[in-house]
Amino acid sequence: MNLFTIPVPSPSSLWTTVRSGGAFNVACSFAALWVLVKVSRMLRWRVKTTQLLGPPRTSLVYGVSRDLAISQDRPAMYERWATEYGVVYMIPSVLGQTNVVLCDPKAIAHFYARETWTYVKTPLTLAFLESSIGKGLLWSQGETHRRQRKALTPAFSNAAIRKLTSVFYDSAYKAKGQWDNVIESSKDDDAVIEVQNWMNHISLDTVGIAGFSHDFGSLDGKRVSVAEAFDTIGSNQPSAVDKAVFLLASVFPIILKIPNKRQNMFTQLGITMEQISNELLIRSRREKDADISQVGEENSLIGLLIKSEGQDAELHMSAEEVVAQMKVLLLAGYETTSSESWALIELSRHPDVQTRLREELLAFGPDPTYDQLKANLPYLDAVVHETLRLHPPVRESTRIAAADDVIPLSEPVRTASGNMTDNISIAKGTLITISIAAINRSSTIWGPHAKEFKPDRWLTEDGIGGKAKEVQGHRHLLTFVDGPRMCLGKDFAIVEFKTVLLVLVKNFVFEMRDGPDAPVETVRGVLPRPRVAGEDGTGVPLRVRRYE
Ligand code: HEM
Ligand SMILES: *[C@@H]1O[C@H](CO)[C@@H](O)[C@H](O)[C@H]1NC(C)=O
Ligand SMILES: *[C@@H]1O[C@H](CO)[C@@H](O)[C@H](O)[C@H]1NC(C)=O
Ligand SMILES: CC(=O)N[C@H]1CO[C@H](CO)[C@@H](O)[C@@H]1O
C-alpha cells in the first residue's frame, strides 16, 4: 500500500455516525480524522524532507523552543548549533514540530528569493498580524503582496527620500532643542536623558509628517495615543505564561483568540492605529477633493494610498487594505528605532568611536544633503551599518514551505543518515527559520571580531571577509532581509538614522549613566529593544552634555 493513501472516513459514513451515535461519536470521528491527516502529513514530511542533525529536545512539549524563548542570547544558541551540526540543521520545536534552520549564505539567498510564493508566513504569524495590523503588506503573500507593494514603492524611491531629508532634519533639531532646554534647566552642565523614548518620538513625528502630512507633535510634548499603546507593550514584559501561550499558539493559532493580557494589548494597539489611520485618511480625502494640500503631491505616501482607492486605479486597494498599509507604516516607523538607541549606547560604550565620528561630522561643516549623506561621510555610514549588523530590530524569520523545494548549499553538510549532501530537499509544510542576528554576527562569516562593535570593518577592503561577501542583501547584511519582502523603508530608515545621529553627535556628548560597563539587556517591545539593566520598561538613561 502506498504510504500516502491512508483511508479516511467518507462524508457519508460520517453522516451515518452523526445520526446513529450522537455527539460523542461525532467528536471521536473528527478526532480520528484529524489524527489521520496529521499522521499522513508527518509521514510524507519524513520521507520528503532531508533529515538533518540537530540538538535533542529538552522538553517533551516545547522541544527546544522554550530554551530559545527564555534565552538572553538567542543568536548565540543558533550559532553554537551551527558549529556543532553544520550550516543547516534541524531543531525540535513545539508539540513534535521540527524547524529547519539555515545558516548558509547560499541557502539563505535561495530562500529569500522565493519569499511570499514558496516560503510564506506561518498561520500563527498571519493570525497575529491580521488581528493587530490587518491585511496590509506585512500580511499579504504572492500576487496580493506584489500588487500592494507596487502601489507603495514610488513613495520610497531615491527622489522621494531626497525630498524627505528636510523632514528628518526638522525632527532631529526639534529633539535637540528640547534637550538643550533640559540641560539648561539642570544645575550641572549635563543631564540624564532617557533616550529611547526620544528616539521613538523622533520616528513617530517623522513618519507622521513624511508619510501622512500630519504632525503628531510628540516632540512638542503632546500625548499621542499610538505612542502610548506601543509603550504599554514595552513596559509590560511577557510573563512565563505569555511565552508558553505564544509557543502553543504556533500549533493552535486559535489560542490567540482566547483573551489574554498580552494579546489584549496588541489588539488595543491595532484599534488605536486604526482610529488614527482612519482620521488621517478622512482628512486627506477631503483635502484632496478640495485640492488644498500636498496630498496630491506626486508620490507622497498618503497621496499614493488615496489614489489606489480609486475604482479604476491600476493597482487598486480596498479601503480596508489602505488602512492596513497605514498601520504597517506606523509600526515599521516606530518599532525599528531601537537601532538608534543602540547606536547611542554603542557610542557611549566606545568614546573613541564617538569622538572620531564627531570629528568627521564637524570637519564636513554644514549639514550634508541627501546625496552627501550617502557618499561623503564614510565613518557615519560605518557606525550606522555596524549598529544595524550587531543589533538588527528584526532578529529572526520563520516561514513555512508552501510547495516542495530543493535548497542548494555553499558547503556540504552531513545528514542524519551520515551522508554528505550539497542540497537539501524540503517538503511542503516544512518550517524554516533564519536567525538574522546569528548570521550577522557569526564568526565564520564576519571573522574573529564578529561580536565586537568595530565600525572600521566597513572602511577597509578586507574588513568584510570572504564568507560575508556571499551573504546577499543590503551591504551583505540580512538586517533588512532580501528578496520580494526586503524592507521597503530601507533608504528611509538609513537616511533618517544618519540625520538623527549626525545632529545629536554634533551637538552632544554621550556617556552611560553608570559607567561604560553598565550592562544592557534585550527586552521585548513589539520587537526586541535595549534596556539598561535595572531600569523599568525600555529605559535607556544616558548622561548627555552639550558639545562646546
Ligand atoms: C532600521 C530600521 C528598519 C529595519 C531594520 C527594518 C527591517 C525590516 C524587515 C526585516 C522587514 C521584513 C519583515 C518581514 O516580512 O518579516 C521589513 C519590512 C518592511 N519595512 Fe522595514 N525596517 C526598518 C525601518 C522601516 C521604516 C522606517 C519603514 C517605513 C517608513 C519600513 C517599512 C517597511 C515595510 C513597508 C515593510 C514590509 C515590506 C514587505 O513585506 O513587502 N521599515 N523591514
Ligand atoms: C546514504 O547512506 C546509506 C548508508 O548509510 C546508503 O545506503 C545510501 O545509498 C546513501 N544515500 C545517498 C543518497 O547517497
Ligand atoms: C542534491 O544532492 C544529491 C546528493 O548529494 C545529488 O545526487 C542531487 O543531484 C542533488 N540535486 C540537485 C537538484 O542539485
Ligand atoms: C553560523 C555560523 O557561521 N557559526 C559559526 C560561528 O563561529 C564559530 C567560530 O567562532 C564557527 O565555528 C561557527 O561555524
Side-chain angles (χ1 to χ4, degrees):
M1 190 187 77
N2 186 325
L3 267 180
F4 306 115
T5 51
I6 287 170
V8 175
S10 71
S12 62
S13 73
L14 267 180
W15 180 236
T16 322
T17 325
V18 171
R19 288 209 306 197
S20 59
F24 179 71
N25 282 346
V26 178
C28 286
S29 305
F30 276 109
L33 185 66
W34 185 80
V35 168
L36 273 175
V37 169
K38 283 275 169 197
V39 167
S40 66
R41 277 201 201 145
M42 179 73 150
L43 287 173
R44 181 173 188 280
W45 176 83
R46 273 231 156 243
V47 174
K48 287 251 179 176
T49 299
T50 307
Q51 297 298 305
L52 299 166
L53 300 170
R57 67 182 68 249
T58 52
S59 145
L60 212 54
V61 178
Y62 299 113
V64 295
S65 302
R66 219 173 67 92
D67 304 344
L68 282 167
I70 58 182
S71 167
Q72 257 297 311
D73 198 349
R74 226 173 138 103
M77 290 181 73
Y78 284 114
E79 201 186 341
R80 206 180 60 233
W81 287 330
T83 325
E84 217 165 313
Y85 304 108
V87 289
V88 293
Y89 54 90
M90 279 181 170
I91 56 172
S93 62
V94 183
L95 293 179
Q97 295 187 101
T98 301
N99 290 37
V100 171
V101 180
L102 306 181
C103 299
D104 177 64
K106 191 164 171 190
I108 291 171
H110 174 97
F111 167 90
Y112 278 126
R114 282 155 188 77
E115 264 235 78
T116 86
W117 301 95
T118 307
Y119 298 108
V120 298
K121 296 196 170 175
T122 64
L124 170 69
T125 312
L126 291 177
F128 177 72
L129 287 172
E130 190 183 336
S131 70
S132 50
I133 323 183
K135 300 183 176 179
L137 207 45
L138 279 174
W139 172 87
S140 59
Q141 315 275 0
E143 197 50 53
T144 310
H145 175 265
R146 207 189 58 83
R147 171 177 53 82
Q148 292 187 355
R149 185 156 171 129
K150 210 169 158 193
L152 289 185
T153 296
F156 294 97
S157 67
N158 281 341
I161 306 299
R162 182 179 285 114
K163 268 200 232 161
L164 292 178
T165 307
S166 63
V167 177
F168 302 147
Y169 273 123
D170 286 348
S171 295
Y173 274 109
K174 253 191 198 167
K176 176 205 171 273
Q178 300 279 17
W179 289 12
D180 282 340
N181 296 340
V182 173
I183 294 172
E184 211 153 277
S185 60
S186 82
K187 286 183 284 305
D188 310 309
D189 60 356
D190 62 19
V192 171
I193 295 180
E194 199 288 279
V195 296
Q196 182 140 258
N197 200 28
W198 282 98
M199 297 305 119
N200 293 343
H201 289 338
I202 291 177
S203 315
L204 183 64
D205 285 6
T206 302
V207 91
I209 296 171
F212 314 130
S213 316
H214 171 74
D215 185 359
F216 285 108
S218 69
L219 286 167
D220 302 316
K222 268 202 206 137
R223 289 184 48 178
V224 183
S225 54
V226 212
E228 284 174 6
F230 277 115
D231 294 344
T232 312
I233 292 174
S235 49
N236 285 279
Q237 288 301 305
S239 65
V241 175
D242 292 330
K243 286 181 182 169
V245 165
F246 204 75
L247 286 177
L248 291 175
S250 68
V251 179
F252 305 109
I254 193 144
I255 291 180
L256 288 184
K257 304 252 186 240
I258 304 170
N260 100 6
K261 187 168 158 235
R262 198 158 169 83
Q263 189 53 35
N264 293 348
M265 289 191 289
F266 280 101
T267 310
Q268 189 52 47
L269 172 65
I271 294 171
T272 314
M273 288 198 292
E274 179 128 1
Q275 273 167 354
I276 183 74
S277 301
N278 273 321
E279 280 168 32
L280 294 178
L281 273 171
I282 290 167
R283 201 201 58 192
S284 302
R285 286 188 196 113
R286 213 174 34 230
E287 289 180 1
K288 178 167 181 267
D289 290 341
D291 216 12
I292 53 170
S293 75
Q294 326 88 310
V295 169
E297 190 170 315
E298 214 182 345
N299 295 344
S300 79
L301 251 178
I302 191 117
L304 287 170
L305 286 171
I306 290 178
K307 196 168 105 192
S308 69
E309 282 185 312
Q311 278 309 328
D312 48 350
E314 186 194 342
L315 301 159
H316 174 73
M317 282 199 263
S318 67
E320 187 194 355
E321 283 179 305
V322 167
V323 172
Q325 309 309 354
M326 295 186 65
K327 291 161 81 177
V328 168
L329 294 164
L330 283 172
L331 178 83
Y334 196 86
E335 269 303 311
T336 51
T337 51
S338 56
S339 45
E340 287 159 21
S341 307
W342 274 117
L344 295 179
I345 291 171
E346 291 293 6
L347 292 175
S348 304
R349 284 167 165 174
H350 300 92
D352 51 327
V353 176
Q354 188 179 152
T355 305
R356 186 164 154 204
L357 174 59
R358 189 174 298 108
E359 278 164 5
E360 178 185 83
L361 302 176
L362 293 172
F364 187 81
D367 286 344
T369 62
Y370 169 83
D371 296 286
Q372 290 167 332
L373 277 172
K374 281 202 149 171
N376 295 30
L377 293 154
Y379 202 63
L380 175 63
D381 187 76
V383 168
V384 163
H385 283 91
E386 187 64 350
T387 308
L388 291 170
R389 182 183 74 84
L390 275 181
H391 307 291
V394 179
R395 298 184 149 199
E396 216 170 297
S397 306
T398 291
R399 301 286 186 263
I400 188 164
D404 293 351
D405 192 24
V406 175
I407 300 182
L409 307 176
S410 69
E411 57 181 271
V413 288
R414 188 173 299 284
T415 64
S417 63
N419 300 348
M420 298 301 285
T421 180
D422 55 11
N423 65 68
I424 53 171
S425 302
I426 297 291
K428 179 176 171 179
T430 305
L431 292 165
I432 309 246
T433 295
I434 290 179
S435 171
I436 294 169
I439 303 299
N440 282 359
R441 59 171 84 161
S442 142
S443 311
T444 318
I445 297 180
W446 291 91
H449 302 293
K451 309 278 182 291
E452 293 159 43
F453 182 77
K454 283 191 178 298
D456 270 328
R457 79 177 74 244
W458 297 94
L459 299 176
T460 54
E461 222 8 61
D462 54 355
I464 294 169
K467 250 313 202 229
K469 289 236 162 66
E470 289 173 31
V471 180
Q472 292 188 20
H474 174 75
R475 307 279 280 272
H476 311 296
L477 290 177
L478 290 179
T479 304
F480 296 101
V481 308
D482 192 19
R485 259 225 143 86
M486 181 185 232
C487 175
L488 186 55
K490 172 171 72 66
D491 288 339
F492 184 115
I494 291 176
V495 177
E496 178 182 358
F497 195 166
K498 285 185 177 175
T499 45
V500 170
L501 208 55
L502 178 138
V503 170
L504 296 180
V505 171
K506 251 169 134 173
N507 289 285
F508 301 102
V509 179
F510 297 90
E511 279 168 41
M512 300 294 287
R513 183 194 56 193
D514 304 320
D517 299 325
V520 177
E521 53 197 17
T522 302
V523 294
R524 286 209 73 91
V526 176
L527 295 175
R529 284 180 172 277
R531 157 169 87 184
V532 171
E535 293 298 306
D536 288 335
T538 55
V540 179
L542 297 182
R543 193 172 299 285
V544 182
R545 78 185 142 79
R546 292 196 47 83
Y547 176 77
E548 308 292 354

